[in-house]
Amino acid sequence: MKPILFAANWKLNKTPTETKTFFTDFISKCPQDLQNKICFFVPATSLETTSNSLKDSDIQWGSQNCYSKISGAFTGEISAGVMKELGATHILIGHSERRQLFHENNDEIAGKGHLIQSLSLTPVLCIGETLEQRDRNLTLGICEDQLRTFIEQINPAQPWVIAYEPVWAIGTGRVATSNQVKEVHDFIRNFLIQELGTEVAQRICILYGGSVKPDNAKELLQLENVNGFLVGGASLEVDSFLKICLS
Ligand code: PGA
């Protein structure tokens, strides 16, 4: 059985009140044995509400970013240490919106991964190419660079997750084809096997993200090296996200 994870990236959506309402509905509809395969990345302002809402469930959660230090003179940043105290399990890092809009680079992201693992939390590393890079046939090289810098700074044998998200497929409604997803996911798995050995490599979840919807999830999940999804838009509604998790 391959490991599975369905992750929701809410981005800058939902107030704490909306978050509470969502989770009350979601928990009442989500089968118990599915709960520990689900993880929500909520806005920083909803973290405490999320902690309270999910504390009696097996559903996992965390922030969409953190700083590379636990505390200090870093105005406006979010601490992974606070996540730990609130009971988070995962932290999303390196999302393409963070890389593009906030100029985060591979080194900085790897430093965050190291810190997250040192707190026994699980980093979820986003990687992926822009349309221009795909058109120039650079997709696999870009993914390899993003992964290589990361595994050099973390402990790859401790839990971590990869989310492959082609930038051109995020929020565009333009999902990658099965063949495109298969090519990159197979490449990532082979890279991990070569660098880390088969046993460690097979434990690592490789999620696909980019316009995942209830009607395309099933086909993609059948691919051997797709271990689940990172879902943006379709995770904002209880029913559509649950349908994806039940694919
Ligand atoms: P999308 O976003 O599902 O809305 O394309 C995915 C993501 O940005 O993680």
Side-chain angles (χ1 to χ4, degrees), residues 99-138:
R99 293 177 188 264
Q100 292 194 318
L101 302 172
F102 304 99
H103 313 293
E104 290 187 8
N105 62 40
N106 287 343
D107 250 332
E108 207 179 336
I109 294 161
K112 295 180 184 194
H114 178 83
L115 176 78
I116 293 165
Q117 279 196 334
S118 76
L119 295 164
S120 301
L121 299 174
T122 302
V124 178
L125 169 73
C126 300
I127 62 170
E129 80 289 359
T130 62
L131 188 56
E132 193 227 328
Q133 288 164 336
R134 173 162 286 268
D135 287 345
R136 289 167 58 208
N137 228 357
L138 298 175

Side-chain angles (χ1 to χ4, degrees), residues 9 11 95 97 165 169-171 210-212 230-233:
N9 175 14
K11 311 192 181 190
H95 189 277
E97 287 150 20
E165 298 202 304
I170 295 176
S211 297
V212 175
L230 179 58
V231 186

Side-chain angles (χ1 to χ4, degrees), residues 78-206:
I78 308 174
S79 168
V82 173
M83 290 314 116
K84 180 79 185 171
E85 185 183 303
L86 288 173
T89 50
H90 294 65
I91 298 184
L92 189 68
I93 46 174
H95 189 277
S96 69
E97 287 150 20
R98 303 266 352 143
R99 293 177 188 264
Q100 292 194 318
L101 302 172
F102 304 99
H103 313 293
E104 290 187 8
N105 62 40
N106 287 343
D107 250 332
E108 207 179 336
I109 294 161
K112 295 180 184 194
H114 178 83
L115 176 78
I116 293 165
Q117 279 196 334
S118 76
L119 295 164
S120 301
L121 299 174
T122 302
V124 178
L125 169 73
C126 300
I127 62 170
E129 80 289 359
T130 62
L131 188 56
E132 193 227 328
Q133 288 164 336
R134 173 162 286 268
D135 287 345
R136 289 167 58 208
N137 228 357
L138 298 175
T139 299
L140 302 181
I142 293 286
C143 291
E144 181 170 336
D145 283 350
Q146 291 172 334
L147 282 173
R148 194 177 289 286
T149 313
F150 199 70
I151 59 174
E152 280 167 7
Q153 291 195 46
I154 61 155
N155 178 353
Q158 261 190 49
W160 64 293
V161 174
I162 298 164
Y164 167 60
E165 298 202 304
V167 179
W168 47 271
I170 295 176
T172 57
R174 186 177 159 191
V175 67
T177 64
S178 266
N179 282 343
Q180 288 170 324
V181 175
K182 181 178 178 345
E183 184 196 14
V184 181
H185 280 239
D186 289 354
F187 171 81
I188 294 171
R189 184 75 69 201
N190 288 333
F191 171 81
L192 296 173
I193 290 172
Q194 180 195 305
E195 297 294 317
L196 311 174
T198 309
E199 204 204 314
V200 169
Q202 295 294 3
R203 284 205 302 260
I204 299 169
C205 280
I206 310 173

